[in-house]
Amino acid sequence: MAERTPADETGDARLRMIASAGDELRGMDLVGYALDHAVTVIGGLGGMVHLRGPGGRGLLLMAVNGLARTALGDWEEIEESGPTAPARAVAGGVRIWVSGEDAAPQTRARALQGDYGLLAVPLLTPGGVAGALSVLTVVGDEPSRRQMAALEALAAWVTVRLREHPATFRQADSGGRLWDRPPATPLRQAMEAVRVGSWEWDLATGEQVWDERTRSILGMDPAPPKPRFETWTGLVHRDDLPWVLVEVEQAIRNRRVLSLEYRVCRPDGTVVWISARARVMPGKDGEPDRMVGTVWDTTESRITRDWVGRALRHMSDAFFAVDSEWHITFVNVEAERLFGTSNAVLGRSLWDALTGIGVDAAALGLESRYRHAAERGTPVEFDVQWPANERLYHMRLVPVPDGLTVYATDVTEKRAREADRAAAEHAAAERNVRITELTSALAEALTVRDVVNAAAERILPPFDATGLVVQFIEGETIRVAGAVGYSQAFLKRLDGTPVNSISPVDEVYHSRTPVVLDSVEEYIARYPKMAAFPGAGDKRAWAFLPLIVSGRAIGCCVISFAESRHLLGEELALLTALSGLIAQSIERARLYDTEHTRAQELQRGLLPHALPSTRAVSAVARYLPAAEGINVGGDWYDVIPLSGTRVALVIGDVMGHGLPEAATMGQLRTAVRTLADLEYPPAELLTRLNDLVSGLGDDFYATCLYAVYDPVLSICTIACAGHPPPALVDPGGTAQFIDLVPGPPLGSARLPFEAIDVPVPEGSLLVLYTDGLVESAAQDLDRGMRHLASALRTAASNPGRGHGATARRGAVKGESESLERVCDDVLASLLAKEPLTDDAALLIARTRAAAPGDVVAWSLPDGPIAAGEARDHVQKQLLSWGLSPLATTTELLVSELVGNAVRHGKTPIGLRLLRSEVLICEVSDASATTPRIRHASDTDEGGRGLQLVAAFSQRWGSRYTTTGKCIWTEQPLP
């Protein structure tokens, strides 16, 4: 396919323009319109349209342009099979170009005398050829390929249009004819349809021939005397006559086509505009002989053009036009402000005119856009800042057939308003987003501090604010609930201030209406007693907003600015609405804080206030709540001193969160302490504890780990009910989890629990914990236990925190501090890897074994001599320990206990003394019967021994052993 050129595209654009302009035409108006443009496209002298007549009458002349109708008598009806170009075009269905003698055969010689060329193209329909469109040209001036193609396209368009609107024509019949009814006089019908008159002027005699249409256009009587040249000049408007005569004379002398538009004064006094087109016809001698032409009334179109011209001239937008050579052909009043006066620019090149006023068309992109619009034939719009006046113009370039029209609208203020509106819309959209975010954030905020932070983060940036203070009014005192953008010194000064001493807050609190201060000067002028206050906060403008909840004022929210700031009404309304949201959230947060504080107090009340420190173990613990709201967890721990310097370590977890679970946890902790005081071994204690939980209901479950450490034997006896196993960190820093039978959770089964004995080297760490510390949705139990073991090894190996630094007796205080640091390090390591999603408890105990010299035991004989032998052992041992002041009391206690064992118990009988924080005396036998205090009457001989034991000892009790029982007493050391 051949490459298209700009000329091709320009031709296409012109045809599109012709089609668009003729869209409303019908019938012969459409035919005349198409013929006129056909002559223009080819650059011809005139043209004709022939259509096939009904009944085989041949080709009938339907329209004429630029040719005298008196000279076309032989062309009014021609044979379809004849040799003329139109007939040949209809017969062959192709365009025909003939020139010279071929253009005017003898039968047509009178109509077309001279050297001419004739181009005829067929009017094609689906049913056949309907006629032909012909254009007359000068001989030798053969139309170009592009011109011929354009004529064919124009013929095709008019044929389609005639078929679309069959008011005058109907669909072609089998012969291709388009007649709806046969015209009686085709030539007359064509002339009436196109409203064009014809005339002829004999240059030698001055006589003229006017047809009926011409007489009508000129306002002459239908049957006047034969007109002459003077008749016509007498009708021409006197202002137009001079230049009209010049144009006529030049056309005759140069033998060119005459084309004029001028005014005619009719005999009835009316003035009309007419257009005339004529051709000079030579005589036999080759000299101008006559002039043949057409004429038509253009008054209406001229009036329209004049009105449009005046409108364009005085329109508010700048408007100018350029021709195809970029010469300026029109400028209106507004355009003169861009270019200068019309006289200075009309006819000049557009680019020269722009350069003359200092406009660089290339730099501004004007030239490229103008040329693009002209070449493409499509409108182009853009904004440009005009250098001459620094105004912003919106230019619209509209291509027209012979050039380009430019509309330039001053949009400086409009664009500024649009920019302001866009900025305002953007700011409003951003504020709406912030409000939405604030609403969501406030819905999630729990504490007052959360509310203040959420409000500051989402309110201050959109309003360019730099400070926020939320104040409660308690009585008549200001309490700062939270603030952003202020120094602590200022807030400390503000907190506790009487409300009536800070006038804006007092006014807002009592009036419940906002107070806005745009500047420091306004602040001081309105509240002169507060002149020093603005400088203290380092702010320059303020908005004091009331905090109102359920119709009552609870405080004031202050939004401040670093610079003077005037708040618009819309902004103040928005801030007031936001203060309402803040007030609601603040009130909810205050309730939360109150309930949360109560929940924390409840939680602390259910857990040990302090862990006992014994010679057997030093222990520290942490409880970490993860639940929100007033819910409390069910995790607990305890350290319970037992007889014989033994210590019970307990940790447990009631499943669930809330007050019922916390109450259950309190019951279990109390029950464990009670059962521990009864000296139940670990497995039996869990069995009895399981009965208690089972009696609470089917929905209560708990886990528990109970361990008893005996420092004399350095053994820890452990029983577990569904709880994670404890970790043991030996003095070398090796951490491992004790392998034990986990057992079912409390409340889920009645199976017996099993206990195991684990040797614990002196200085080891026993670590008990709940599953919340090692297990979460993102971390399984095994992985969490590995992390715990790693954290324990790291914490235990740090200098100053390990076993060697504080493991010896006598460094209890230092050892406690070391354990605190170990506990903190472990939690820091675990929480850094995985934040808590459940409550967690951690209990770490460092064990100490009893010194060999602090424990002594004897086997006693059966019989009465056992008591005396026991007293001798006690007296000697206390003397060696330097505890002689306790000898008498201890001998009395030993005598009573040994006597009871001899009398009521079974052999073997044993005696053991332990020196720790107290002096412990233990008497054991093989009987499982435990003694109880009796209230003897005055006449009873016995029953007072245990009363004496209770009276002379600090504590006493009994416990079961694997071989029987043991009765023990404790006395404070002197």
Side-chain angles (χ1 to χ4, degrees), residues 157-214:
W157 171 76
V158 73
T159 304
V160 171
R161 290 297 313 282
L162 289 174
R163 292 174 55 217
E164 290 176 350
H165 303 281
T168 303
F169 304 103
R170 60 176 174 80
Q171 179 76 18
D173 57 20
S174 59
R177 294 175 175 81
L178 290 168
W179 292 106
D180 183 43
R181 57 183 176 83
T185 309
L187 177 58
R188 186 172 185 82
Q189 184 185 38
M191 293 169 63
E192 291 292 333
V194 297
R195 296 185 297 276
V196 176
S198 63
W199 54 271
E200 184 175 345
W201 174 23
D202 190 324
L203 299 179
T205 64
E207 294 182 352
Q208 295 185 353
V209 177
W210 298 347
D211 67 358
E212 183 179 347
R213 171 60 65 180
T214 300

Side-chain angles (χ1 to χ4, degrees), residues 525-544:
R526 188 166 179 176
Y527 308 104
K529 295 182 180 180
M530 307 298 301
F533 192 80
D538 194 24
K539 304 298 179 184
R540 298 292 181 269
W542 302 261
F544 294 83

Side-chain angles (χ1 to χ4, degrees), residues 22-31 161-162 165 167-169:
D23 187 61
E24 300 299 326
L25 298 178
R26 303 290 186 272
M28 292 308 300
D29 289 340
L30 177 65
V31 174
R161 290 297 313 282
L162 289 174
H165 303 281
T168 303
F169 304 103

Side-chain angles (χ1 to χ4, degrees), residues 714-725:
S714 294
I715 290 177
C716 187
T717 304
I718 307 173
C720 178
H723 203 83

Side-chain angles (χ1 to χ4, degrees), residues 897-911 922-931 958-967:
L897 295 178
V898 171
N900 284 337
V902 170
R903 183 177 179 180
H904 302 290
K906 298 180 181 179
T907 57
I909 301 173
L911 172 63
E922 297 180 348
V923 175
S924 60
D925 65 78
S927 173
T929 304
T930 58
S958 64
R959 68 175 181 270
Y960 291 103
T961 64
T962 56
T963 59
K965 68 177 181 297
C966 173
I967 311 299

Side-chain angles (χ1 to χ4, degrees), residues 556-579:
C556 177
C557 174
V558 184
I559 296 175
S560 53
F561 307 86
E563 301 295 337
S564 298
R565 173 78 148 80
H566 174 69
L567 289 175
L568 302 176
E570 179 185 353
E571 293 177 319
L572 181 58
L574 179 59
L575 287 177
T576 303
L578 293 177
S579 69

